[in-house]
């Protein structure tokens, strides 16, 4: 279970995320759920950065869209991110996906969540 977030960063496959979702359901009423979601959020951001860097032409739009929606969902639950992950995502996303409507929508939601008064960033 500890190695799954690292695998999600690289793979970005739906099967791996299905396993992560199953683990989240098992941990539903557990004290470990928040920590697990933070790991998933980090993996999701790193996975998007890797996708953007390797596929500059937006050829995997459906996979990226799915990851962005997952990112939005996790951000709404966790409401905090690692500053390095956040910086990487914003820089890489704006460099390669500045015209992508879904990316911009999720970025806007993330900014609203992360930069409210009591935020850690």
């Amino acid at each position: 279970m500890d190695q799954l977030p690292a695998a999600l960063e690289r793979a970005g496959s739906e099967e791996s995320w299905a396993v992560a979702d199953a683990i989240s359901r098992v941990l539903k009423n557990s004290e470990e759920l928040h920590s697990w979601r933070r790991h998933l959020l980090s993996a999701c951001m790193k996975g998007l950065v890797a996708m953007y860097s390797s596929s500059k032409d937006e050829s995997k739009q459906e996979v990226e869209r799915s990851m962005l929606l997952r990112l939005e969902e996790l951000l709404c639950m966790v409401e905090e991110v690692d500053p390095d992950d956040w910086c990487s995502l914003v820089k890489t996303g704006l460099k390669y996906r500045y015209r992508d409507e879904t990316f911009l929508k999720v970025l806007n939601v993330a900014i609203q969540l992360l930069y409210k008064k009591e935020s850690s960033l």
Side-chain angles (χ1 to χ4, degrees):
M1 185 169 107
D2 294 334
Q3 297 161 357
L4 183 59
L8 292 170
E9 291 171 24
R10 291 186 308 274
S13 70
E14 284 302 310
E15 295 84 15
S16 297
W17 281 101
V19 172
D21 290 341
I23 292 171
S24 295
R25 284 190 296 278
V26 169
L27 295 174
K28 187 173 184 177
N29 296 320
S30 167
E31 294 176 10
E32 297 174 10
L33 182 59
H34 186 72
S35 173
W36 173 247
R37 285 180 175 159
R38 286 186 68 193
H39 288 298
L40 292 180
L41 178 60
S42 179
C44 187
M45 287 193 289
K46 288 176 181 173
L48 281 165
V49 167
M51 270 192 258
Y52 293 160
S53 297
S54 68
S55 177
K56 298 170 179 68
D57 62 352
E58 300 181 36
S59 62
K60 299 178 180 176
Q61 279 187 332
E62 228 13 76
V63 175
E64 287 178 15
R65 185 175 184 284
S66 169
M67 290 287 286
L68 283 165
L69 296 176
R70 182 177 297 279
L71 174 68
E72 182 178 3
E73 179 184 332
L74 287 166
L75 276 169
C76 290
M77 289 185 245
V78 177
E79 294 187 356
E80 58 184 301
V81 296
D82 177 81
D84 293 333
D85 292 344
W86 173 245
C87 183
S88 249
L89 177 68
V90 171
K91 286 168 87 174
T92 309
L94 288 173
K95 183 174 183 179
Y96 298 115
R97 299 297 187 267
Y98 64 92
R99 292 182 182 177
D100 182 284
E101 185 179 339
T102 306
F103 170 75
L104 294 173
K105 176 187 161 281
V106 172
L107 180 63
N108 186 41
V109 168
I111 289 170
Q112 299 302 316
L113 283 169
L114 297 174
Y115 291 96
K116 59 187 177 185
K117 286 186 181 183
E118 61 275 354
S119 175
S120 63
L121 284 182

